[in-house]
Amino acid sequence: MSTTPLTVSRRGLITASTGLAAGLSVGGPAVSAAVGTSATTPGLAALRAKARDGVFYGAIISPTTTVRDFERQLGHPLGSRRNYHPANQVDQLLRRAAEDVAAGRLSVLSIKPKGTWRAIARGKRNGWLNRILDGLAELDGPVCFTINHEPENDTRGRGSGMTAYWHRRMTQYVVKKARRRAPNVEVIQVLMAWTFHPLSRRRPKKWLARNVSLFGIDAYNWWSPSNPEAARWVEFGTLVDRVKRFAGDRPLVVAEYGTRTDPNQPGRAAQWMYDAYDYALANNVLTMNYFNTAPRGVKEPFILDSERLAAFRECLLDPQSVTL
């Protein structure tokens, strides 16, 4: 690998990086795969009015700090925050969402299901679900909400109620219920970018709910300094371009994204992040949240430090980085 630092201007790279992403995308014609178009809901209308040509730029907060301490370190409030909860943490989820909305952050919420996806889709967990939606409905601002992000990891066999079919049915059921009980809540799915890669041999359409207004994904550059041949360095635009052709005209929610640092090319990770931000602004990405945490046992985490932290801060301070 070259040891020459990358010094190209990030704004100068937007055209080149977008073209590179399109050139590297793998798959069939873009026109035949889209599964729907976005509806105009109160939650989405509020988000679009706030974002206009900008993006809600945020992060997952490391458990070693607080969101307020992190914002003080950055010198600027986050535009968004990613939150996770197990099924029994409804009160915690509602408190976290209320805290985010009050602080002007778009809350991108995930909770694990109570029971199976099939049970929720058939209305057998309505008490649990209504408690969540009614609590979120009381907030003075829009939120994004999903049940079971990256569901591809949690599927089971036929008859289990935990298949792609039932995740799609569950999501469509929750969307309909939310539009009645909590019109400020945008129900989304959060699928893996890998699911949209032809090499995954997955069939994205099996998963995709037809009535969602926002299209959610996670997008990681899985390249690793200790095992560079396992996964090549992949640009953010390449990852999202594979997804866009399924999204129709729906805005994209990048619930999580991240990259590792290349010790042999200082500045490469920072440039990846600058390009990701510029790509988001040019490609209908409503919000993006950096995976700023180091789960136990994960080698070479994506956590913000050094050049990645500096790049994140610069993007956050950009005038097109918006808050609620």
Side-chain angles (χ1 to χ4, degrees):
M1 290 184 180
S2 169
T3 58
T4 303
L6 300 181
T7 57
V8 181
S9 164
R10 69 183 178 95
R11 291 295 176 188
L13 278 185
I14 181 60
T15 302
S17 65
T18 304
L20 176 63
L24 290 176
S25 294
V26 180
V31 294
S32 62
V35 296
T37 57
S38 61
T40 301
T41 62
L44 180 55
L47 291 172
R48 279 178 158 161
K50 290 288 186 179
R52 293 188 175 90
D53 295 324
V55 62
F56 292 98
Y57 193 72
I60 294 149
I61 305 302
S62 169
T64 61
T65 188
T66 67
V67 64
R68 296 195 183 280
D69 285 344
F70 185 53
E71 288 177 329
R72 278 193 287 268
Q73 178 187 6
L74 294 166
H76 196 277
L78 296 174
S80 180
R81 176 166 59 155
R82 182 82 168 99
N83 301 299
Y84 308 88
H85 299 276
N88 63 351
Q89 283 192 358
V90 173
D91 289 340
Q92 292 92 324
L93 178 149
L94 295 175
R95 284 197 298 270
R96 184 69 61 84
E99 177 184 301
D100 283 341
V101 170
R105 295 184 291 265
L106 172 60
S107 203
V108 182
L109 305 157
S110 289
I111 195 165
K112 286 292 187 178
K114 183 174 183 180
T116 64
W117 302 332
R118 179 175 56 201
I120 296 172
R122 288 180 170 173
K124 295 183 179 180
R125 296 294 183 268
N126 276 349
W128 174 82
L129 180 58
N130 290 345
R131 185 177 162 208
I132 295 172
L133 295 177
D134 291 349
L136 293 176
E138 295 178 3
L139 302 180
D140 188 23
V143 299
C144 294
F145 171 67
T146 189
I147 298 178
N148 211 139
H149 82 287
E150 293 191 353
E152 300 95 325
N153 283 333
D154 297 310
T155 56
R156 301 177 206 155
R158 183 177 297 181
S160 67
M162 297 288 285
T163 61
Y165 170 82
W166 284 112
H167 192 271
R168 183 179 77 243
R169 285 280 304 276
M170 173 188 71
T171 301
Q172 291 173 173
Y173 176 82
V174 178
V175 168
K176 291 178 183 177
K177 183 176 281 288
R179 287 179 181 166
R180 293 194 306 270
R181 303 183 77 103
N184 60 319
V185 175
E186 283 300 319
V187 178
I188 63 173
Q189 293 175 294
V190 180
L191 301 177
M192 302 174 184
W194 172 243
T195 295
F196 299 86
H197 195 303
L199 293 179
S200 75
R201 299 188 181 278
R202 293 173 180 167
R203 296 170 60 192
K205 283 188 177 182
K206 292 176 63 177
W207 289 96
L208 299 179
R210 296 176 179 85
N211 59 350
V212 293
S213 299
L214 298 173
F215 202 91
I217 59 159
D218 290 343
Y220 290 96
N221 173 25
W222 287 107
W223 178 91
S224 166
S226 65
N227 194 10
E229 301 306 320
R232 66 183 179 87
W233 191 278
V234 181
E235 296 301 320
F236 180 87
T238 303
L239 296 167
V240 181
D241 272 353
R242 295 187 187 120
V243 175
K244 277 178 60 183
R245 65 193 190 91
F246 290 88
D249 67 352
R250 289 174 289 191
L252 297 165
V253 171
V254 181
E256 304 166 20
Y257 76 105
T259 190
R260 296 185 174 97
T261 302
D262 186 345
N264 293 320
Q265 294 195 54
R268 189 182 192 186
Q271 190 67 62
W272 189 95
M273 293 178 64
Y274 292 141
D275 290 347
Y277 178 74
D278 285 334
Y279 178 97
L281 291 174
N283 287 275
N284 203 23
V285 174
L286 184 73
T287 181
M288 56 197 302
N289 290 272
Y290 193 89
F291 193 74
N292 182 36
T293 190
R296 184 179 301 173
V298 173
K299 187 179 181 181
E300 300 166 326
F302 296 98
I303 198 163
L304 291 169
D305 58 8
S306 187
E307 68 180 77
R308 289 176 292 185
L309 181 61
F312 182 89
R313 183 176 184 275
E314 185 177 346
C315 294
L316 183 67
L317 293 174
D318 186 87
Q320 289 179 279
S321 170
V322 299
T323 63
L324 291 176

